[in-house]
C-alpha cells in the first residue's frame, strides 16, 4: 500500500498534531482506510471538537426528560405512557451544492434519527436561511431546497407543519437548511444505540451502499471556496419511498423482542454507526465488508465505510432472531444482511476479500477525538440606538413596507408545497406562532416551533442566544402549550477564528441561561461550523426547536382575531427599542445597534400568565410580538382573520417606537369585554404590565390617524415571494 503523505493527511482534514495523536493511538502508521475512518470520526461534524467544552454547560435534565443529548434524538415524557422524541439537524453544505438532494436527504436523515428510537414521526419542521434576494443564486437555491423538503416529506407521508425562512447577504455563499422531526413513542418501548452481547450478530438493513456521500462529514467541516461546486459527489441521493418502507419495517420489528441496539447510518455512514454502537457498549466489532449489500461494483473498504448512501440502518440482534428480522425486511422489500459480530476485543476489525483492511482500537478513536479549548474573544458590545435618532415614517406606510420585506413577507408560496395535513392530526397550520399537532386518538397535542433572530446574534451573541430560547418559549406559550424542552442547531462560521469562537461561546452561554431560567432543558442538538465562503462568515444562527404540551387540544389559541368588538390587550412594556430592528434595517438602511434585552424572570411570569388565561378560556386570540414590532403583530392577527382593528397609541414612546420597536417579552391578546376585568386582574396579580390598546372590528387597521384596508395589507404581505419566485419558475 502506498505511503500516507502529508498531502493525503491534509486532504482528509486532519491537522499535523491530530495525525501525531493518531500515530500514538495506532502505534503505527494507519493505512488509507484507517485514515479515512479517523478523518470522519474526528471531523467537526461528528466529534464536536470545537464546541464540546461549551455544550457540556447546557442544562439537559428535568423530571420529564427521559433521554438527553448523546443518543440519536432527545426524549420527553408527556404522560399516559407516551413520549415525544425530537431533534433538529443541519444539511447546510450539501444543500448549497445540490439544493434538491441536499434538503431532501436532510429531511430523511432527521426522520431516521427519530424512528430509530422507536417513535413514529408525526411532524417535520425546518429553519431556512438564504442569501440576498438580489444574489444570482438565491432564487435557484430557494426553489431547490423547498422542492427537496416537500418532495421527501410528502412522499414519506409525514406532515411538514411549519418553520421559518430568512434572507440576508451573509448567507449568499452558505445557506442554512436545518430540519427537525418530532415523533411519538411508547415510553416503555424506546430503543437505544449501545451494543451489547459478545457474539451477537451485527445486521445491516435498508438500501444498498453506493459511492454517494463519501466524505460528506468532512466536507461539512470545511469552509467553502471557489471550487465548492466540485464537491457535488459528496452529496447523498435520497429515496423517500424506501424511507417509508424503512419506517414501517422498523416499527414492526420493534414490536417483536429481537433488537438489542439500533442506529441509523447518518454522517460517516457505516463508520460512525458501528463505532458509536460498539463504543457505547464497551465492545469490539468485526465486520466482513464482502457481505454489505452494494449497488456498485468494485467498491473498496474505504468507500464502503465512508459512503453516506441514504436509508440505511445498523442493528444488533438477539442471537437466533435473524430469521424473524429477515422475514420482516423481506416483507417490506428491504436489503438485509448479517455483516459481522460483536467481540470482546474493544477493536474494530474490517475484512474485505478475506484480507484485514483495518484494525482500530474503538474507545481511543471514539473518546480521544480532539477536544479543543479554542481561543476566543468576546464580541464588542454594539451601542444602544436612541429612538430620537431614528427617523419616523408614517405608521401605515412603514407597515406596508415591512409586511412586504423578504423576512416578513408571507411564506405561503413555500408551505403550500408541503403537505401539512397528511395523517389528519395537524390542528394549527403554518403561519401561526407554533404548529399544533394532536396526539392521535386523544385530547392531548404538542406545539412545535423553530426560532432564531440572527441579526440579534450578530449584534450580541449572548443576548441573541437568550432571545432565541425566549422566543421559542413565547411561541409555544402563545398556543396555550406548556414549553417542555428544546433541541438546538448551532450554525456558525470558522471556530479557528477567535472572534467566531467568541460568538459560539457567548451564544451557548446565553442559551444556557435562558434554558435554566425558563426550565426548558436541551435534550438534543447539532453543531454546524465552518459556514463560511472565502472568509465571509454567516450571521451566527443558533436555531432553537421547541416542543410544548397541550393537555386539551380544544383549548389551544391561534393568532387570528375571532369577532368584532373585542378588546386588544398588550402584555409587556413598550420602550421603542430600535437597535437591530427590522424597521431600522428596512426603512432606514441601517444594520446596527444593540439588540433588545431579554428579562428571563419576566418572560417566565408572562408565559405562565398567558397559559393560565388560555386554559381558563379568557383569551380569544394570542400572538407574541417579535420581528417588526407591535403593529406587525396586530396586522398579522388581522390578516389571518379578515377582521380589522383600531389602535390607540400612547404619547410615549414616540409613535414609530411604539409601533415598530422590538422590545422583548410581549404578547397581544384578544379578549371579550366581559372577560377583560379578569384578565387585567390576573396580570396585576402576576406583576405583568397589561393595557388595552384598541378594539377589533371593521375591515381596516388604523393607528395614528392613518388606516389601511386588511385586503391592502394582505396584498403587500402576499405579493413578494410569489413575484420573486415567479422569475425562477418562468425561467424553466
Amino acid at each position: 500500500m502506498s505511503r500516507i503523505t502529508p498531502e493525503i493527511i491534509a486532504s482528509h482534514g486532519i491537522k499535523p498534531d491530530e495525525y501525531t495523536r493518531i500515530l500514538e493511538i495506532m502505534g503505527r502508521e494507519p493505512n488509507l482506510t484507517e485514515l479515512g475512518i479517523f478523518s470522519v470520526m474526528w471531523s467537526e461534524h461528528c466529534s464536536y471538537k470545537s464546541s464540546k467544552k461549551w455544550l457540556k454547560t447546557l442544562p439537559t435534565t428535568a423530571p420529564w426528560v427521559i433521554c438527553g443529548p448523546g443518543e440519536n434524538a432527545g426524549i420527553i415524557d408527556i404522560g399516559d405512557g407516551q413520549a415525544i422524541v425530537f431533534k433538529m439537524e443541519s444539511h447546510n453544505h450539501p444543500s448549497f451544492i445540490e439544493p434538491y438532494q441536499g434538503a431532501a436527504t436532510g429531511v430523511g436523515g432527521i426522520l431516521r434519527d427519530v424512528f430509530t428510537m422507536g417513535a413514529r414521526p408525526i411532524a417535520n419542521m425546518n429553519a431556512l436561511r438564504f442569501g440576498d434576494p438580489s444574489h444570482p443564486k438565491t432564487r435557484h437555491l430557494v426553489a431547490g431546497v423547498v422542492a427537496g423538503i416537500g418532495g421527501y416529506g410528502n412522499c414519506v407521508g409525514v406532515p411538514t407543519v411549519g418553520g421559518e425562512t430568512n434572507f440576508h447577504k451573509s448567507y449568499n455563499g452558505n445557506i442554512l437548511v436545518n430540519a427537525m422531526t418530532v415523533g411519538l413513542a411508547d415510553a416503555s418501548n424506546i430503543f437505544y444505540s449501545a451494543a451489547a452481547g459478545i457474539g451477537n450478530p451485527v445486521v445491516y438493513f435498508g438500501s444498498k451502499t453506493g459511492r454517494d456521500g463519501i466524505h460528506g462529514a468532512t466536507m461539512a467541516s470545511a469552509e467553502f471556496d471557489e471550487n465548492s461546486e466540485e464537491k457535488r459527489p459528496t452529496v447523498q441521493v435520497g429515496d423517500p419511498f424506501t424511507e417509508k418502507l424503512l419506517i414501517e419495517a422498523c416499527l414492526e420489528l420493534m414490536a417483536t423482542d429481537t433488537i438489542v441496539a439500533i442506529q441509523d447510518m447518518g454522517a460517516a455512514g457505516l463508520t460512525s454507526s458501528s463505532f458509536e454502537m460498539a463504543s457505547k457498549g464497551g465492545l469490539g466489532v468485526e465486520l466482513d465488508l464482502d457481505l454489505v449489500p452494494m449497488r456498485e461494483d468494485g467498491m473498496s473498504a474505504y468507500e464502503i465505510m465512508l459512503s453516506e448512501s441514504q436509508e440505511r440502518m445498523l442493528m444488533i440482534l438477539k442471537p437466533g432472531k435473524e430469521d424473524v428480522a429477515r422475514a420482516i425486511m423481506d416483507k417490506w422489500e428491504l436489503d438485509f444482511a448479517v455483516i459481522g459480530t460483536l467481540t470482546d476485543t474493544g477493536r474494530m476489525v474490517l475484512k474485505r476479500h478475506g484480507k484485514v483492511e483495518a484494525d482500530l482500537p474503538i474507545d481511543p478513536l471514539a473518546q480521544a477525538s480532539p477536544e479543543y479549548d479554542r481561543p476566543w474573544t468576546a464580541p464588542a458590545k454594539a451601542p444602544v440606538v436612541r429612538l430620537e435618532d431614528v427617523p419616523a415614517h408614517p405608521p401605515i406606510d412603514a407597515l406596508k413596507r415591512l409586511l412586504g420585506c423578504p423576512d416578513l413577507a408571507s411564506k405561503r408560496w413555500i408551505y403550500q408545497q408541503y403537505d401539512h395535513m397528511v395523517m389528519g392530526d395537524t390542528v394549527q397550520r403554518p403561519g401561526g406562532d407554533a404548529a399544533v399537532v394532536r396526539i392521535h386518538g386523544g385530547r392531548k397535542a404538542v406545539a412545535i416551533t423553530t426560532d432564531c433572530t440572527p441579526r440579534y446574534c450578530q449584534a450580541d451573541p449572548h443576548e441573541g442566544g437568550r432571545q432565541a430560547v425566549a422566543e421559542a418559549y413565547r411561541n409555544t406559550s402563545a398556543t396555550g402549550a406548556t414549553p417542555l424542552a428544546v433541541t438546538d442547531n448551532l450554525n456558525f462560521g470558522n471556530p479557528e477564528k477567535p472572534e467566531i469562537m467568541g460568538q459560539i461561546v457567548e451564544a451557548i452561554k446565553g442559551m444556557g441561561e435562558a434554558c435554566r431560567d425558563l426550565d426548558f432543558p436541551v435534550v438534543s442538538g447539532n453543531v454546524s461550523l465552518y459556514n463560511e465562503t472565502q472568509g465571509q462568515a454567516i450571521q451566527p444562527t443558533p436555531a432553537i426547536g421547541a416542543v410544548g404540551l397541550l393537555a386539551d387540544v380544544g383549548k389551544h389559541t391561534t393568532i387570528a382575531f375571532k369577532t368584532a368588538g373585542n378588546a386588544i390587550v398588550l402584555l409587556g412594556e413598550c420602550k421603542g427599542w430600535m437597535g437591530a430592528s427590522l424597521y431600522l434595517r428596512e426603512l432606514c438602511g441601517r444594520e446596527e445597534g444593540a439588540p433588545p434585552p431579554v428579562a428571563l424572570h419576566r418572560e417566565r411570569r408572562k408565559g405562565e400568565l398567558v397559559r393560565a388565561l388560555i386554559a381558563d378560556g379568557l383569551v380569544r386570540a394570542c400572538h407574541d410580538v417579535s420581528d417588526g414590532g407591535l403593529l406587525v403583530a396586530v396586522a398579522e392577527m388581522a390578516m389571518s382573520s379578515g377582521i380589522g382593528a383600531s389602535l390607540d397609541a400612547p404619547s410615549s414612546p414616540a409613535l414609530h417606537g411604539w409601533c415598530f420597536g422590538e422590545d422583548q417579552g410581549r404578547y397581544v391578546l384578544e379578549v371579550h369585554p366581559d372577560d377583560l376585568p379578569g384578565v387585567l386582574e390576573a396580570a396585576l396579580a402576576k406583576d405583568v404590565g397589561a393595557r388595552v390598546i384598541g378594539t377589533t372590528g371593521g375591515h381596516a387597521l388604523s393607528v395614528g390617524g392613518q388606516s389601511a384596508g386588511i385586503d391592502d395589507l394582505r396584498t403587500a404581505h402576499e405579493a413578494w415571494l410569489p413575484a420573486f419566485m415567479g422569475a425562477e419558475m418562468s425561467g424553466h
Side-chain angles (χ1 to χ4, degrees), residues 91 98 100-109 112 148 151-152 155-156 207 212 235-243 295 308-311:
H91 233 222
E98 180 51 74
Y100 185 95
Q101 289 298 350
T105 51
V107 174
R112 283 195 299 284
Y152 204 99
C155 290
V156 171
S207 285
D212 53 329
V235 179
Q236 314 91 320
V237 178
D239 176 1
F241 298 105
T242 301
E243 183 103 342
R295 63 167 185 259
E308 291 185 14
S309 294
Q310 295 291 287
E311 293 89 36

Side-chain angles (χ1 to χ4, degrees), residues 264-441:
D264 79 299
M265 292 191 216
L270 188 51
T271 291
S272 62
S273 53
S274 54
F275 259 94
E276 285 167 15
M277 292 175 88
S279 179
K280 283 177 185 169
L283 295 172
V285 65
E286 188 166 307
L287 301 180
D288 183 347
L289 301 184
D290 297 350
L291 302 175
V292 172
M294 286 172 259
R295 63 167 185 259
E296 297 186 46
D297 293 332
M299 288 186 72
S300 66
Y302 179 99
E303 290 172 322
I304 295 167
M305 291 306 289
L306 269 56
S307 164
E308 291 185 14
S309 294
Q310 295 291 287
E311 293 89 36
R312 301 179 303 154
M313 313 277 282
L314 200 65
M315 65 181 163
I316 310 300
L317 286 181
K318 292 183 177 173
K321 299 288 189 181
E322 293 90 334
D323 289 346
V324 176
R326 183 181 275 107
I328 290 172
M329 295 306 151
D330 285 350
K331 170 187 164 183
W332 292 101
E333 298 180 352
L334 295 166
D335 275 287
F336 175 96
V338 178
I339 63 168
T341 53
L342 295 179
T343 68
D344 61 359
T345 63
R347 299 185 74 82
M348 170 168 281
V349 178
L350 306 176
K351 292 180 176 168
R352 179 84 167 120
H353 303 317
K355 177 171 163 268
V356 173
E357 288 284 351
D359 184 348
L360 300 146
I362 288 173
D363 275 354
L365 197 156
Q367 293 170 13
S369 63
E371 180 173 326
Y372 291 123
D373 185 1
R374 294 200 185 277
W376 59 280
T377 52
K381 293 277 185 197
V384 172
V385 172
R386 298 185 314 165
L387 182 56
E388 55 266 37
D389 295 335
V390 177
H393 293 265
I396 295 297
D397 299 354
L399 175 65
K400 286 182 179 174
R401 289 239 333 246
L402 284 171
L403 289 177
C405 81
D407 276 2
L408 285 181
S410 167
K411 303 305 184 291
R412 187 189 305 275
W413 183 90
I414 292 175
Y415 64 73
Q416 278 184 333
Q417 297 184 53
Y418 305 151
D419 187 340
H420 42 267
M421 297 306 290
V422 65
M423 298 176 86
D425 286 315
T426 307
V427 178
Q428 167 79 330
R429 302 181 187 199
D433 281 327
V436 177
V437 178
R438 183 190 296 106
I439 300 298
H440 195 73

